[in-house]
Amino acid sequence: MNKADEVILSIPSDVACKLWGVDKAPTNVMIHTDDGQIFNVWLTESKGNFFFFQGWSDATQHLRPSKGCLAVFNPLDCITFKVTYFLDGVSGSSFWTYLLRTSSHFYVIPEVIMPKTFNTSIDVISTIMIENKTFHIMIEMADGKFGFTVGIDVIVRLLQLEPGCFLIFTKYFGNYFNLKFFGKNDVEKNFFDVDVDVPSVAPIDALHEIYEEPHGPVHWFSRMAGTDFMLPDRVSEMAKLDLGLEI
């Protein structure tokens, strides 16, 4: 998200098509923020693409986006969006990070997400939900930080994800997390978007739990502040080196 995006913001074409079909967009939508503010935002169209226009600048002035922040838009219905704003990589009980290359499997969990009573003496297995599917991922400690490690590779293979996609983890209770993936087109990626085969790498255990959980629309989308790839401040130096970023 650059300065121009604070005035007029493009809506991914895949999202617009799923929400409204072709050339059927409404004239305006309602933007709800996490702190209860509501903004009436008008849409404009150019060369088949739709944009948040009049009223969107009021929303950005309220959110005060900074370089490296992330905004995720969840359509509540065809004319209402809930926007979640991530500051320093964290929003409430959720945090985001970039998908790393396969040579690195340590995804730092911010300290504010981990419970104060978390046992630091042993490694634990976390349960991660994607839609209604269950995965078991190791949580380990390195350099004084906790992170997800073994087991992420199973999810990456199943969803055919590439470096540059990013992940949003939401903590529920105990070691349970919900996970959403966003592709390079800024649109949420799910099991309906790919041909899911048997994983080519084994999971870290043989558990096959079934945990039903309501999930929202499949066409969330997001926008980053800044033109360069940015990692949350709390991501380890190892992860930054893996992406080839200066530290």
Side-chain angles (χ1 to χ4, degrees):
M1 185 185 297
N2 53 38
K3 281 295 183 182
D5 291 330
E6 296 180 20
V7 179
I8 182 170
L9 181 69
S10 173
I11 302 173
S13 57
D14 291 348
V15 172
C17 184
K18 287 180 179 179
L19 281 172
W20 307 308
V22 179
D23 300 325
K24 295 181 181 180
T27 57
N28 63 297
V29 297
M30 306 303 294
I31 302 290
H32 293 240
T33 63
D34 284 334
D35 60 0
Q37 296 296 311
I38 302 176
F39 297 90
N40 185 11
V41 177
W42 292 81
L43 299 183
T44 187
E45 183 268 341
S46 176
K47 298 180 180 179
N49 296 317
F50 293 96
F51 301 83
F52 292 138
F53 186 41
Q54 185 177 350
W56 172 242
S57 59
D58 295 332
T60 58
Q61 287 177 12
H62 175 73
L63 293 172
R64 297 183 180 277
S66 57
K67 187 175 182 179
C69 74
L70 179 74
V72 177
F73 295 81
N74 177 25
L76 304 180
D77 54 47
C78 62
I79 60 170
T80 309
F81 290 87
K82 175 69 177 295
V83 60
T84 299
Y85 174 65
F86 289 77
L87 184 62
D88 294 330
V90 177
S91 177
S93 59
S94 301
F95 70 97
W96 72 270
T97 185
Y98 272 109
L99 179 68
L100 306 178
R101 297 189 182 97
T102 54
S103 59
S104 177
H105 290 295
F106 193 83
Y107 293 86
V108 174
I109 305 173
E111 292 181 9
V112 295
I113 300 296
M114 298 299 295
K116 295 181 179 179
T117 57
F118 194 81
N119 190 343
T120 60
S121 62
I122 59 174
D123 295 334
V124 299
I125 305 296
S126 65
T127 299
I128 292 184
M129 305 297 301
I130 304 178
E131 299 167 37
N132 64 344
K133 295 177 175 60
T134 302
F135 298 86
H136 301 280
I137 311 297
M138 183 76 77
I139 294 180
E140 298 181 276
M141 190 174 189
D143 298 328
K145 298 180 179 180
F146 288 102
F148 296 115
T149 57
V150 180
I152 289 287
D153 52 338
V154 175
I155 298 174
V156 171
R157 299 284 183 93
L158 282 175
L159 284 175
Q160 304 170 19
L161 299 174
E162 300 176 352
C165 299
F166 57 94
L167 306 72
I168 295 180
F169 294 91
T170 300
K171 190 176 187 304
Y172 287 157
F173 58 90
N175 298 322
Y176 277 77
F177 292 81
N178 179 264
L179 175 58
K180 294 183 180 294
F181 280 99
F182 291 76
K184 293 181 179 180
N185 63 349
D186 298 322
V187 179
E188 183 184 3
K189 193 177 183 69
N190 57 51
F191 288 102
F192 297 105
D193 299 325
V194 296
D195 295 325
V196 177
D197 298 319
V198 175
S200 56
V201 289
I204 61 176
D205 56 40
L207 295 178
H208 296 286
E209 300 177 9
I210 298 177
Y211 180 77
E212 297 295 335
E213 171 191 319
H215 55 279
V218 299
H219 41 268
W220 294 32
F221 69 99
S222 64
R223 279 292 180 262
M224 285 288 300
T227 56
D228 299 326
F229 280 176
M230 296 293 295
L231 289 169
D233 292 338
R234 295 184 177 90
V235 171
S236 66
E237 293 183 358
M238 177 179 65
K240 292 185 180 181
L241 286 172
D242 189 68
L243 285 176
L245 301 177
E246 294 183 359
I247 58 176

